[in-house]
Amino acid sequence: MKVFCGRVNPTTGALDWVEEDEDYDYHQEIARSSYADMLHDKDRNEKYYQGIRAAVKRVKERGEKAIVLDIGTGTGLLSMMAVTAGADYCYAVEVFKPMSEAAVQIVKANGFAGKIKVINKHSKEVTVGPDGDMMQRANILITELFDTELIGEGALPSYEHAQHTLMQERWEAVPHRATVYAQVVESHRLWSWNKLLPLDLDSGRFQPPPEMQSCPGAPSVCDIQLSQLNPCDFKSLSHIMVTCRIDFSQQISSATVSHPMNFSCLASGTAQVVLSWWDIDMDPEGTINCTMKPGWLYPSGHTVPWRDHWMQCVYFLPEEKKVVQRGELCLTAHQDDYSMWFTLQNSGAEENASNERPVCHCGAHIIWNRPRFGELNDQSRIDKYKKALKKILTPSSVCLCVSDGSLLPLLAHSIGAAQVFTLEYSSMSQHLMEKIFQVNNLKEVIPVLQKTPDKVTADDLGDRKVSVLIGEPFFTTSLLPWHNLYFWYSRTALSGVLSKDCTVSPVSASIHILAVEFKDLWRIRSPCGSCEGFDVRIMDEMIKKSLDFRELREAEPHALWEYPCRALSDPINAMTFNFQEAVPGDVMKSEGSVNLVRSGMCHGVVLWMEYQLTEDMRVSTGLLGVSEEEGDCQWYPHSKQGVFFLSSVTELEPSSMKPCTSVNYQLTFSPKHGDIQMNFSSKF
C-alpha cells in the first residue's frame, strides 16, 4: 500500500507530495538508528553477557527458576544471552512493532522460540497471569533503556512500574547500578554554543538582548563525542564528582530529586559548563563495569571503546559564575523522570534556583541549534564576511539579507550601507531579530520582512531596488549542506526587486568531495550478521530494505569534527552553482573521479559546500585542513557535512587483491526538485 506524504522541500521551499510505502518511515527509523552501532559495541555486549550469566547463576544458587524480563529487547540479543546463560524462560518486551517483528524472526532463527516470548507492548501495558502476557512474575530484570543522559529514554518510570507489577519480591537486575559523574569547567568554545556573545562592529559594540543572556537555554542535553574535544578547550574548575548512584535492584522512584555536591574550586575562572557521563556495574560487586568516560581519562595506550549510541553530556549552567581558587562551591544536580540539569552557588548559600527543568524564554534557543550559536560567535568567520562586505557595499547601497537569524544586516549597517533589509521566514525568527535590533537601537533602521521571497514587493522596500543581495547562506530547515541552495532559489524569486546591476554575495557555491577512511564512524553502516555468536542477519536485511534503494544514493549529515577520519584523496570541486544568474531550468550534471593518494580503507566520500563571497574570498562549511603525513582531517565544527558510505569498503594497499586507485562520482542536480542525486563507485 502506498501513501502520500507532504514535505517542505528544504532547498526549493516548495511543498512536495512524496509517494512512500506505508512502512517506509519504520524502516528508515531502523536504518538510521543505533542498532548496528550497538551490535558492533563489543565492550557493551561482553559486559552485558557477563552480567547476565552472573545474575542467572545467583538465582540458580538460591534454588529458583530463572525467569527473565527483558524490557526494550530490540533485536532480542540480551534475551538470547539470558537463555544461553541458563535462564528457564524469558519475556522480551519491545514496543516498536517493526523491531519486535525482527526480534521474533531473530529469536526463531537462533533456535530460542520455545524459551523466549516477544511481547509487542510498552512494559507498562504488560499483564501477568493465566490470561496475561506473562504467566508469572520475573526474578531477573534486564534492560537497555539508557541514552547518553542515562534516563532520557524513560528508564526510571519503566523500572518503577516493572518492580511494582512485573517482578517478584526478590529480583536481580542487569545492570545492577549506574553511577553518574560531573565536572565543572570553563570553556569558551562550549559556552559559545549556548549564548550569543557581544560583537565589535565598525559603528560600535553589538550587545545581545538581556533576556537572551539570562535565559537558561535549551532544555535538552547537548550530547557529543567528548573524547574529540581537545583538553586545551576547557579548564577544569572541579574534580570529577559522583552526582548520584542508582541501584536498579532496589525500588526506583521517578520523582524529582536534587543531589548537592560541595567542592573546593581547583582554579580561578568562570564556571560555565558541566561535563557529565555515567557508567554501569553489571553485578553487585562492581567487577563488571561498562563506562562512558571520555577518551582522555583512559591511561595512555589503552584502547577506548567507541560508541555512538551512548556519548557524553554537556550541560550549560543557567548563567556564568566567577569563581576563585579554593573557593567553596555547591553544584546541585536536579533530576526528574526523564532529564537532569545543574545549578551552581556558593557553599552554604540558600538554594534560590528553581527546581523546575529550565526552559528557553528568549526564543533564540528554540530557533537556533547549538552549532548555529557557535557559527554566529565564530570571530574568524565574521571577519571574512566583514572584509567581503567592505568590498561590495557603498554609501548608496540598498542591501537585502536572505538567511535565517543572520547578523549580516548588522555588519552591513555598520559598514555604511544606505539601507538594509533582512528577510525572515517565520514570525518567531522575525520577533527575535527585531529584539536584537531594538537593543542596539536599530529596530527602525533595519526592517525585518516576515515574508517568503516570492512575496516581496517594491512597496516592502520603499519603492527601491535592491543593489546588494547578501546571505551566509544559512537556513534552519537545512539538513544537508546543499539544502542551503535555498538562497539561490530566493535570489531567483526576488529577481523582480533586484536592480539590473545587483551585486550578489556569495557569488557562487560549490560542492567539494573527499574520499576518506573513518576511524570508527563506518561501524554505523557496517553489516552485523552475527553478534556474540548469535545470528542477527535479519537486521542487515531490514536496513538494506531501506538503504539499498534510497540511502546508497544519498548522503547522511554528520558533524565530522566528532568523528576522526583520514583523507585518502585530495579534495576536489565537483559542481559549482552560479548565484549571479537565476536557477536554470535544465538539469546540471558532473562526473569524474577522485584519485586516491594515501593507503587505507576507503569507507566513503565526504561532501560539503564552499561559498565564494567575492572573487578572492571564500568560506568553507567543511574541510579546513589536512595533515601532510597521515592525512588527518580538520572539519568546520559549526556545520554538518554530508557522508556517502560506499556499499563495499575498498582497500588501497598492496594485497592479494588489486587495490582501489580512485572513486568515480556522478552528481545530478535537478532544479525542479532541488535535490542532488549521487552515485559513487570504486575504480580498480
Side-chain angles (χ1 to χ4, degrees):
M1 179 179 176
K2 300 288 185 179
V3 295
F4 285 92
C5 303
R7 297 174 183 167
V8 175
N9 188 307
T11 309
T12 67
L15 179 65
D16 296 338
W17 290 95
V18 183
E19 186 181 36
E20 303 286 11
D21 293 327
E22 63 178 344
D23 59 350
Y24 166 69
D25 283 343
Y26 284 153
H27 288 290
Q28 279 293 85
E29 188 168 339
I30 291 173
R32 290 188 180 277
S33 71
S34 296
Y35 284 111
D37 177 34
M38 287 188 286
L39 293 173
H40 283 294
D41 190 343
K42 186 174 179 62
D43 178 70
R44 162 197 178 269
N45 297 332
E46 285 181 347
K47 301 292 175 57
Y48 260 102
Y49 199 9
Q50 293 169 15
I52 290 169
R53 283 189 302 178
V56 170
K57 182 180 178 181
R58 289 194 297 274
V59 169
K60 293 284 189 178
E61 286 176 347
R62 296 199 295 264
E64 303 173 15
K65 284 188 174 182
I67 308 300
V68 174
L69 173 61
D70 175 10
I71 299 179
T73 194
T75 61
L77 176 64
L78 301 185
S79 293
M80 292 189 294
M81 288 181 179
V83 173
T84 302
D88 294 279
Y89 201 78
C90 185
Y91 297 99
V93 179
E94 175 57 54
V95 68
F96 185 38
K97 186 176 181 181
M99 201 64 245
S100 70
E101 292 173 349
V104 169
Q105 295 180 56
I106 292 171
V107 165
K108 183 178 180 181
N110 285 274
F112 294 113
K115 286 203 168 186
I116 298 175
K117 179 181 180 181
V118 179
I119 303 170
N120 177 215
K121 285 185 176 182
H122 192 285
S123 62
K124 290 184 178 181
E125 299 173 347
V126 172
T127 57
V128 180
D131 299 322
D133 302 301
M134 298 171 58
M135 288 295 294
Q136 58 182 310
R137 293 191 178 207
N139 54 13
I140 300 177
L141 177 57
I142 301 173
T143 60
E144 208 283 57
L145 297 172
F146 313 119
D147 65 352
T148 295
E149 201 175 14
L150 183 68
I151 60 175
E153 291 186 1
L156 296 182
S158 296
Y159 270 107
E160 188 174 33
H161 173 268
Q163 293 168 351
H164 281 102
T165 62
L166 304 177
M167 304 304 297
Q168 299 175 19
E169 287 188 11
R170 184 178 182 183
W171 74 86
E172 303 288 336
V174 182
H176 182 82
R177 78 173 64 83
T179 305
V180 182
Y181 302 90
Q183 183 176 29
V184 181
V185 303
E186 172 184 287
S187 175
H188 297 292
R189 176 177 176 179
L190 293 176
W191 190 249
S192 73
W193 294 353
N194 183 52
K195 301 288 185 183
L196 189 58
L197 305 178
L199 174 66
D200 288 324
L201 303 173
D202 289 9
S203 59
R205 189 170 174 81
F206 157 74
Q207 292 291 347
E211 60 265 39
M212 190 180 294
Q213 300 308 94
S214 63
C215 181
S220 58
V221 66
C222 177
D223 55 341
I224 63 172
Q225 292 283 0
L226 203 55
S227 296
Q228 300 311 312
L229 188 70
N230 192 318
C232 296
D233 284 331
F234 64 89
K235 180 201 289 187
S236 298
L237 300 179
S238 78
H239 291 296
I240 297 169
M241 300 176 284
V242 173
T243 298
C244 63
R245 285 191 171 92
I246 303 174
D247 190 334
F248 297 121
S249 67
Q250 303 297 319
Q251 291 293 340
I252 298 294
S253 171
S254 58
T256 300
V257 63
S258 295
H259 308 281
M261 295 162 280
N262 292 300
F263 68 96
S264 180
C265 199
L266 297 178
S268 297
T270 304
Q272 299 167 316
V273 173
V274 177
L275 308 180
S276 181
W277 57 89
W278 50 266
D279 62 27
I280 44 179
D281 291 324
M282 298 297 183
D283 62 329
E285 296 77 23
T287 59
I288 309 169
N289 180 268
C290 186
T291 179
M292 306 309 123
K293 67 183 179 183
W296 27 264
L297 288 178
Y298 281 81
S300 177
H302 193 285
T303 301
V304 180
W306 183 84
R307 17 178 106 86
D308 204 42
H309 54 103
W310 295 332
M311 293 186 278
Q312 294 83 35
C313 301
V314 172
Y315 295 94
F316 300 100
L317 292 171
E319 58 185 1
E320 295 178 296
K321 181 177 178 61
K322 294 289 184 181
V323 298
V324 296
Q325 189 174 12
R326 291 187 290 276
E328 296 300 319
L329 299 168
C330 179
L331 178 70
T332 302
H334 307 277
Q335 168 204 311
D336 61 16
D337 52 350
Y338 280 90
S339 61
M340 297 187 73
W341 62 97
F342 290 84
T343 55
L344 180 67
Q345 60 186 14
N346 294 329
S347 289
E350 185 177 346
E351 176 66 56
N352 55 13
S354 171
N355 286 343
E356 294 183 0
R357 189 182 181 194
V359 176
C360 171
H361 58 67
C362 74
H365 301 90
I366 298 172
I367 298 171
W368 300 333
N369 60 21
R370 285 163 179 130
R372 179 56 173 165
F373 273 97
E375 192 169 44
L376 291 171
N377 291 321
D378 185 342
Q379 190 61 54
S380 63
R381 177 178 170 277
I382 291 169
D383 289 342
K384 287 185 179 180
Y385 279 100
K386 275 185 184 179
K387 291 178 182 178
L389 290 176
K390 285 180 179 180
K391 289 190 174 188
I392 62 177
L393 291 174
T394 69
S396 61
S397 295
V398 177
C399 184
L400 174 62
C401 177
V402 180
S403 281
D404 288 348
S406 177
L407 299 183
L408 291 190
L410 289 168
L411 300 182
H413 172 77
S414 72
I415 289 168
Q419 178 65 64
V420 181
F421 299 89
T422 186
L423 206 59
E424 295 290 344
Y425 179 75
S426 72
S427 59
M428 184 177 291
S429 187
Q430 177 195 22
H431 295 324
L432 175 62
M433 296 310 296
E434 286 178 341
K435 270 195 291 188
I436 290 173
F437 295 155
Q438 183 175 18
V439 167
N440 292 274
N441 300 314
L442 294 173
K443 184 176 180 181
E444 306 303 323
V445 179
I446 305 178
V448 183
L449 309 178
Q450 198 258 303
K451 288 191 170 186
T452 55
D454 58 308
K455 301 296 183 184
V456 176
T457 66
D459 289 342
D460 298 316
L461 305 172
D463 289 324
R464 284 173 286 188
K465 292 281 189 177
V466 174
S467 60
V468 180
L469 180 68
I470 60 175
E472 301 189 40
F474 170 85
F475 301 97
T476 55
T477 53
S478 298
L479 297 176
L480 289 160
W482 43 92
H483 289 166
N484 286 319
L485 287 175
Y486 179 66
F487 177 81
W488 199 14
Y489 287 83
S490 299
R491 176 254 181 271
T492 303
L494 289 164
S495 295
V497 297
L498 304 182
S499 64
K500 290 183 179 179
D501 57 350
C502 179
T503 299
V504 180
S505 179
V507 176
S508 63
S510 52
I511 292 182
H512 291 245
I513 62 177
L514 178 74
V516 300
E517 174 186 59
F518 285 109
K519 181 182 178 183
D520 292 300
L521 188 61
W522 60 271
R523 300 173 191 273
I524 67 173
R525 295 292 171 260
S526 180
C528 46
S530 66
C531 180
E532 296 299 311
F534 301 107
D535 184 356
V536 290
R537 281 175 295 181
I538 186 62
M539 286 302 302
D540 290 333
E541 294 172 13
M542 295 187 72
I543 291 174
K544 287 177 181 177
K545 182 174 181 179
S546 175
L547 298 186
D548 277 354
F549 303 105
R550 297 175 183 270
E551 302 300 311
L552 293 181
R553 294 200 301 267
E554 298 178 4
E556 305 174 13
H558 291 281
L560 290 187
W561 76 267
E562 297 185 60
Y563 305 105
C565 63
R566 296 174 56 244
L568 300 185
S569 73
D570 293 326
I572 68 166
N573 180 347
M575 183 176 281
T576 298
F577 310 91
N578 183 8
F579 294 165
Q580 301 291 79
E581 305 291 338
V583 176
D586 297 332
V587 168
M588 296 172 59
K589 292 186 177 182
S590 176
E591 59 182 49
S593 62
V594 180
N595 294 323
L596 304 184
V597 297
R598 291 185 181 87
S599 63
M601 302 297 292
C602 187
H603 295 118
V605 176
V606 180
L607 305 93
W608 69 94
M609 299 292 285
E610 294 193 2
Y611 297 98
Q612 200 72 34
L613 302 183
T614 62
E615 288 185 3
D616 59 348
M617 295 190 62
R618 67 178 178 85
V619 293
S620 174
T621 64
L623 188 67
L624 299 181
V626 176
S627 67
E628 203 165 310
E629 290 187 8
E630 295 298 323
D632 295 331
C633 298
Q634 179 186 1
W635 298 98
Y636 184 63
H638 307 309
S639 291
K640 289 186 177 181
Q641 292 75 39
V643 178
F644 187 106
F645 290 99
L646 295 176
S647 55
S648 59
V649 174
T650 56
E651 184 177 6
L652 180 63
E653 276 188 290
S655 66
S656 58
M657 297 182 64
K658 188 177 180 181
C660 168
T661 60
S662 63
V663 174
N664 293 337
Y665 69 87
Q666 293 177 326
L667 302 181
T668 303
F669 173 66
S670 168
K672 180 180 179 181
H673 301 104
D675 63 359
I676 298 177
Q677 294 182 351
M678 55 188 66
N679 184 52
F680 294 89
S681 59
S682 306
K683 184 179 179 181
F684 296 89

